[in-house]
Amino acid sequence: MDDRYDPRKIETFWQAQWAQQNLYVAHEDPARRKFYLLEMFPYPSGDGLSVGHLHNYVPSDVVGRWRRMAGFNVLHPMGWDAFGLPAENDALLKGLHPKDTVPRYAENFKRQLKLVGCAYDWTREINSSFPDYYRWTQWFFLLLMRRGLAYRAVGSQWWCEKCRTILANEQVVNGCCWRHSDTPVTKKDLEQWYFRITAYADRLLAGLDGIDWPEPIKLMQRNWIGRSEGAEIGFPVTGHQESEVRFFTTRPDTVFGVSFMVLAPEHPLVAEITTADCRSTVEEYVERARRESEIERLSALREKTGVFTGAFAYNPFTQRNIPIWIADYVLMGYGTGAIMAAPGEDQRDFEFATRYGLEIPVVTAPADGSPPEPGRAFAAHGVTVNSGFLTGMPTVAAIEAVCRFVEERGLGRRAVSYRMRDWLISRQRYWGAPIPVVYCKSGCGIVPVPDEQLPVLLPDLKHYQPSGTGRSPLANVPEFLHTRCPKCGGEAERETDTLDGFACSSWYYLRFASPRYEAGPFDPEKANYWLPVDLYIGGAEHAVMHLLYARMWTKVMYDAGLIRFEEPFPVLRNQGMIWAADGQKMSKSKGNVVTPDAMVEKYGADPLRLWELFMGPFEEPTNWNEKGVVGTARYLARVWTLLRRYIGAGCPQGEPSPQTLRRVHRTIATVSEHIERLRFNTALSALMDELNYLSGLAPEEMGRVAVESYVLMLAPMAPHIAEELWRALGHGDSVHLQSWPKYDPELAREETVTVVVQVNGKVRERFTIDAGTPEAEVRSRALQSEAVARHLAGKAPKKIIYVPDKLVSIVA
RNA sequence: GCGAGAGUGGCGGAACGGCAGACGCGCCGGACUUAGGAUCCGGUGGAGCAAUCCGUGAGGGUUCAAGUCCCUCCUCUCGCACCA
């Protein structure tokens, strides 16, 4: 054992040893309790990992190592979310090819993870852009297709000019592309593939109740799904026998207050019903709405605009004809793309009616008879007024009455509407899994590629730049494009769009159970052993994309009888974001990125790991501060010194004092509990505290138990130094194969306690007594105190509260 | 606008309704040193010589006792932003 703690020296040595010993390779073992630990599938970016990313990987590693010591059979794998726009965009920017850059970047990530001592089972490494992986991504596409969950439809969809592709709704953030926050998305009409995630809306919602996820994430999913109950009703268009305006409303009770109707500008009825004299203004408005960037159109703060179509609808409740307008505050993608406007009860309709001088009937009044707030709609529930047969009913009863009324007369029905749309999965881009279908030219239509012909290989293209025409570059590859129909053998063309990258990450957690399996996406037996994931760790930014998609796929697999669980991630935790020292996001362009490489070089991997754990609560965001690494490096040097003293004294074998033993066991209890609850910062502070205590002892007072349990507890957090110290203590095998120290509550029990005495809520005295001293004795001792007497100032105690072994509170 | 979370020393942060500030950074003093940005020892919320008083964003409340529970407000962060 060296005199001085030299992190780099021992770290490189032990990392090589571990790799040689295959220490972290997982094997199925039905006799042992499994623990599947997983971090969210990382996209290996060219910038490599920063110390911010490590705030995810290091704590996970601690959990994995700790669970292993605690007797669990741990599966902790790693792989690469390699397909998708980020990888392709990066390669385009650098004039390189993603097939070259991605493996290189992944290697770099792997190197960095090893550099900081993270223990993964690298034999299970996967890469979603490799054919042996995306073959099964394609297989899942076909599964969804077979189950009627993948379909093709024409739609006006989000388009990012920089990515030159269509985006899913979830991938549009503040009206901009999720990868380009400076690029407003526009609309483009294309025929696209969708996954029918809305068919799972209710189950995705219900499933949230049974899983242990951070409440904010569940809430975000609930809001994203956005379930609303109401009714879908149709009002006939005056003078158009066949046509009606069908609309969804959550407030059918306000039908008597409907004074006009509004269609989305894209609504198919617009062309049909617009009268000749309104045609030019309507067409102009529709055209403008299409052109306008979504960021403008989506702003709730913007003043509402619209134009009259010249047509009227018949409101069967009021028996009046009401004007039909179009306005861009009505969205084609929600409900039926049309609304009944009840301006007295809906603030948006109110604003619109005010602006265009439309009638504003009042049909709901506050239930308590108070006057409604003037100048705005009364949107709350209340009592229905001026509404024929509904008058006098409370809102809830009126809703029910209208639903029954329209159902009886065939005017409409109860309906549920979701904010969530179907998941658009076509990408007009090169770097993704080709969608495995062909279009037969002899009338077979859309034909799925048979399972045994998978994978549909992504051709190796030199020029893979997106065309911008709305077709993927694969369309320019004749040998890819032209094929035979699997059904009739006739001429056919392949689908040239690729799958959204999120498809890859929707099932990867299953692949890790049997990453080289060839008879299916996963070996059912192995998947059955390892899954579901016991602890899933990742950033909150995936609340509505990856986490929703993965849940849906899992439910599809469950329905198909492939797996026995319906939720892939029963326990989810979010690590807090680490901001740069300047409080901004770490990014290369801002020049504020701190790399693990630099920190390991300067301080060592273990000190860096400890600082990642110690800097704050795992789930809270905080700013990077390099100074802290000095502290954890110093701490480890002191641990080193402690062990050197103990070993230097010949490893005295004597029993430690009861007091020392008590401290040791209390520390075991604290560290275990805090690691389990992912409170790494306080787990480490308990170890620091313990070190401060042990450092004050002579080697022969420490005792082997204290020293060894200390090294064992350090092992998950600082694996290299712990390994070195373990060997220095004379052990032959790895510290990481040892059992976690056993906590003995008997030995941890305090014999004496400090009791505080309060007078009128202020601490005036404290004394030490034996634990479990009878109440009467403690009370009398408290009252005997000179300080207590002084503060009582002669007054008799009115009341005395006694908390055993803790406090006496005297009220005077 | 709506929803969620958070405000504690100079800093990161501790604290089952029961001694606020554990642990660490920084700082101050000392020791050892040719040297110290190494190491070790001591100190460190504010005011006061002291007893003591004041202190967890602001203001109320509940309680013997509130950082913790309740109400009102302020600030910050995040999410959703015309979803009928």
Side-chain angles (χ1 to χ4, degrees):
Chain A
M1 184 178 187
D2 292 346
D3 284 357
R4 220 172 50 86
Y5 168 48
D6 179 356
R8 284 317 289 146
K9 190 175 158 193
I10 60 177
E11 285 162 9
T12 46
F13 175 76
W14 284 111
Q15 283 169 13
Q17 293 288 308
W18 297 334
Q20 221 172 56
Q21 295 167 16
N22 285 330
L23 212 52
Y24 306 112
V25 175
H27 302 281
E28 294 73 30
D29 180 358
R32 290 171 65 205
R33 208 170 145 204
K34 63 94 182 179
F35 192 88
Y36 185 1
L37 170 67
L38 188 65
E39 290 102 272
M40 288 182 186
F41 210 28
Y43 152 63
S45 89
D47 295 342
L49 292 167
S50 73
V51 291
H53 297 112
L54 290 190
H55 200 238
N56 182 0
Y57 301 112
V58 169
S60 300
D61 186 53
V62 174
V63 171
R65 290 174 179 278
W66 173 70
R67 289 276 174 187
R68 196 173 284 117
M69 291 177 80
F72 288 85
N73 190 21
V74 172
L75 172 60
H76 192 196
M78 180 52 70
W80 315 111
D81 191 9
F83 260 154
L85 266 44
E88 186 178 325
N89 289 344
D90 169 84
L92 280 170
L93 201 67
K94 294 176 179 162
L96 301 167
H97 198 287
K99 81 170 189 319
D100 301 322
T101 56
V102 162
R104 207 168 72 222
Y105 295 165
E107 265 320 299
N108 188 43
F109 263 51
K110 188 172 173 180
R111 180 192 60 78
Q112 287 182 300
L113 289 170
K114 286 180 170 175
L115 180 70
V116 295
C118 285
Y120 293 100
D121 178 354
W122 289 110
T123 66
R124 291 174 189 256
E125 183 178 357
I126 58 177
N127 182 318
S128 63
S129 69
F130 290 177
D132 66 344
Y133 184 91
Y134 70 73
R135 170 185 182 183
W136 301 111
T137 307
Q138 292 173 335
W139 185 88
F140 278 114
F141 174 92
L142 297 176
L143 173 74
L144 266 74
M145 199 173 161
R146 271 199 298 280
R147 301 185 67 81
L149 296 167
Y151 66 94
R152 207 166 142 76
V154 179
S156 185
Q157 291 305 335
W158 310 113
W159 174 268
C160 171
E161 198 40 57
K162 279 207 182 145
C163 289
R164 295 193 179 182
T165 185
I166 293 292
L167 300 171
N169 293 306
E170 293 83 353
Q171 291 159 12
V172 177
V173 178
N174 289 327
C176 294
C177 170
W178 69 302
R179 302 303 304 178
H180 299 104
S181 58
D182 56 344
T183 309
V185 293
T186 52
K187 280 272 165 125
K188 198 156 183 137
D189 288 334
L190 283 174
E191 198 169 9
Q192 303 284 330
W193 283 97
Y194 294 84
F195 284 151
R196 211 180 295 280
I197 192 169
T198 50
Y200 282 81
D202 279 332
R203 283 167 68 190
L204 288 169
L205 218 41
L208 290 173
D209 295 332
I211 55 183
D212 177 9
W213 282 20
E215 231 16 82
I217 302 291
K218 288 192 188 183
L219 193 64
M220 274 192 249
Q221 291 213 343
R222 286 194 186 101
N223 291 342
W224 186 264
I225 295 167
R227 184 182 202 273
S228 305
E229 287 181 19
E232 196 182 302
I233 304 174
F235 283 1
V237 180
T238 313
H240 293 254
Q241 294 280 320
E242 312 292 296
S243 303
E244 59 170 10
V245 179
R246 279 199 85 77
F247 56 86
F248 173 77
T249 177
T250 55
R251 290 291 302 276
D253 59 299
T254 61
V255 281
F256 283 89
V258 175
S259 54
F260 59 101
M261 311 206 72
V262 189
L263 306 179
E266 307 89 337
H267 197 286
L269 215 48
V270 173
E272 184 190 329
I273 63 170
T274 300
T275 56
D277 51 326
C278 292
R279 180 132 304 182
S280 63
T281 50
V282 165
E283 280 171 359
E284 207 174 292
Y285 185 85
V286 170
E287 192 45 43
R288 204 174 61 224
R290 291 186 66 82
R291 270 203 321 269
E292 229 164 27
S293 81
E294 293 304 324
I295 202 160
E296 292 163 36
R297 189 169 158 186
L298 280 174
S299 169
L301 305 168
R302 198 177 70 138
E303 218 175 324
K304 291 170 185 37
T305 61
V307 292
F308 179 43
T309 61
F312 290 84
Y314 177 71
N315 180 341
F317 294 91
T318 58
Q319 300 181 357
R320 290 173 58 187
N321 286 314
I322 53 175
I324 303 173
W325 286 62
I326 63 169
D328 62 9
Y329 81 91
V330 175
L331 309 171
M332 194 57 222
Y334 183 78
T336 62
I339 61 161
M340 62 170 220
E345 286 70 36
D346 184 286
Q347 185 59 23
R348 295 155 302 186
D349 299 344
F350 180 89
E351 285 165 21
F352 192 80
T354 305
R355 175 164 176 156
Y356 292 106
L358 296 157
E359 204 188 327
I360 305 177
V362 170
V363 293
T364 306
D368 60 5
S370 63
E373 197 185 327
R376 55 178 303 129
F378 179 73
H381 282 197
V383 59
T384 311
V385 297
N386 308 321
S387 293
F389 70 97
L390 300 176
T391 301
M393 287 186 194
T395 299
V396 176
I399 289 172
E400 176 59 29
V402 172
C403 286
R404 216 175 311 131
F405 183 90
V406 297
E407 276 171 352
E408 278 163 12
R409 284 169 179 69
L411 297 170
R413 56 182 178 88
R414 280 164 230 262
V416 174
S417 194
Y418 301 94
R419 208 193 82 112
M420 180 172 68
R421 317 288 157 82
D422 275 339
W423 172 18
L424 194 158
I425 43 123
S426 309
R427 294 292 177 275
Q428 292 69 48
R429 291 290 293 259
Y430 170 65
W431 193 240
I435 293 175
V437 300
V438 303
Y439 301 95
C440 175
K441 288 187 174 167
S442 342
C444 301
I446 301 173
V447 182
V449 174
D451 287 357
E452 60 277 10
Q453 286 178 28
L454 297 180
V456 174
L457 283 174
L458 182 66
D460 194 353
L461 283 198
K462 197 161 179 169
H463 300 288
Y464 60 90
Q465 283 73 7
S467 62
T469 59
R471 285 204 84 182
S472 146
L474 297 181
N476 304 325
V477 186
E479 48 293 13
F480 177 83
L481 186 64
H482 302 299
T483 185
R484 293 272 152 196
C485 170
K487 235 186 213 168
C488 69
E491 271 185 47
E493 278 193 3
R494 287 193 188 280
E495 167 66 64
T496 56
D497 283 356
T498 53
L499 280 168
D500 180 9
F502 280 106
C504 306
S505 53
S506 293
W507 73 281
Y508 78 106
Y509 42 91
L510 278 155
R511 189 66 182 166
F512 282 128
S514 50
R516 313 288 167 244
Y517 192 63
E518 288 184 5
F522 51 85
D523 180 338
E525 216 167 289
K526 290 185 173 171
N528 199 37
Y529 176 72
W530 289 114
L531 282 125
V533 173
D534 293 280
L535 177 61
Y536 196 42
I537 295 179
E541 68 273 16
H542 287 110
V544 290
M545 290 197 258
H546 161 61
L547 286 173
L548 210 48
Y549 300 148
R551 291 185 60 221
M552 180 218 170
W553 278 43
T554 305
K555 288 180 192 302
V556 174
M557 291 181 223
Y558 174 84
D559 291 349
L562 297 174
I563 51 175
R564 300 187 195 167
F565 55 91
E566 242 190 290
E567 289 291 341
F569 316 122
V571 182
L572 169 74
R573 294 292 179 268
N574 298 127
Q575 83 275 14
M577 180 90 179
I578 302 300
W579 305 99
D582 55 13
Q584 292 183 290
K585 202 169 171 148
M586 275 194 198
S587 83
K588 225 173 185 179
S589 60
K590 293 196 182 90
N592 56 10
V593 176
V594 182
T595 64
D597 308 66
M599 292 297 101
V600 169
E601 165 78 26
K602 200 164 166 188
Y603 303 98
D606 282 336
L608 171 61
R609 289 171 62 101
L610 292 194
W611 178 238
E612 294 279 351
L613 299 166
F614 192 64
M615 54 195 298
F618 171 65
E619 301 186 70
E620 298 296 322
T622 190
N623 291 2
W624 175 254
N625 176 8
E626 191 185 319
K627 284 282 175 59
V629 193
V630 177
T632 52
R634 189 178 298 161
Y635 157 72
L636 288 177
R638 293 184 62 215
V639 174
W640 187 271
T641 304
L642 179 87
L643 267 288
R644 216 191 44 195
R645 281 176 54 222
Y646 177 75
I647 293 164
C651 296
Q653 298 292 315
E655 273 291 298
S657 68
Q659 191 203 355
T660 300
L661 215 48
R662 190 153 53 235
R663 284 211 55 128
V664 167
H665 280 272
R666 294 175 79 85
T667 304
I668 294 171
T670 307
V671 174
S672 312
E673 187 199 326
H674 287 219
I675 291 180
E676 177 158 26
R677 294 168 56 193
L678 311 186
R679 310 274 296 259
F680 307 102
N681 56 330
T682 47
L684 182 51
S685 73
L687 280 178
M688 289 175 166
D689 214 15
E690 170 86 352
L691 177 74
N692 290 342
Y693 172 80
L694 291 175
S695 295
L697 300 182
E700 38 298 327
E701 295 173 308
M702 294 172 191
R704 191 153 186 110
V705 190
V707 175
E708 293 207 334
S709 66
Y710 197 88
V711 173
L712 290 169
M713 285 192 281
L714 193 59
M717 299 194 241
H720 311 88
I721 188 175
E723 192 77 298
E724 180 73 14
L725 296 174
W726 189 249
R727 185 176 64 164
L729 282 167
H731 297 284
D733 50 355
S734 170
V735 71
H736 303 296
L737 297 174
Q738 308 306 312
S739 291
W740 187 250
K742 291 248 175 322
Y743 165 62
D744 184 342
E746 267 311 299
L747 293 174
R749 215 178 50 215
E750 288 290 1
E751 281 164 8
T752 60
V753 291
T754 300
V755 167
V756 302
V757 186
Q758 297 183 341
V759 179
N760 290 333
K762 289 206 163 109
V763 177
R764 297 303 183 185
E765 179 66 281
R766 69 194 60 194
F767 47 79
T768 304
I769 54 165
D770 289 344
T773 302
E775 174 174 354
E777 202 177 309
V778 182
R779 275 173 174 253
S780 79
R781 176 122 182 230
L783 291 168
Q784 276 161 25
S785 156
E786 189 255 326
V788 168
R790 192 167 68 240
H791 287 282
L792 278 174
K795 282 179 275 184
K798 280 199 205 106
K799 190 173 169 187
I800 297 177
I801 289 99
Y802 170 72
V803 180
D805 289 350
K806 243 182 204 155
L807 121 160
V808 178
S809 182
I810 302 168
V811 188

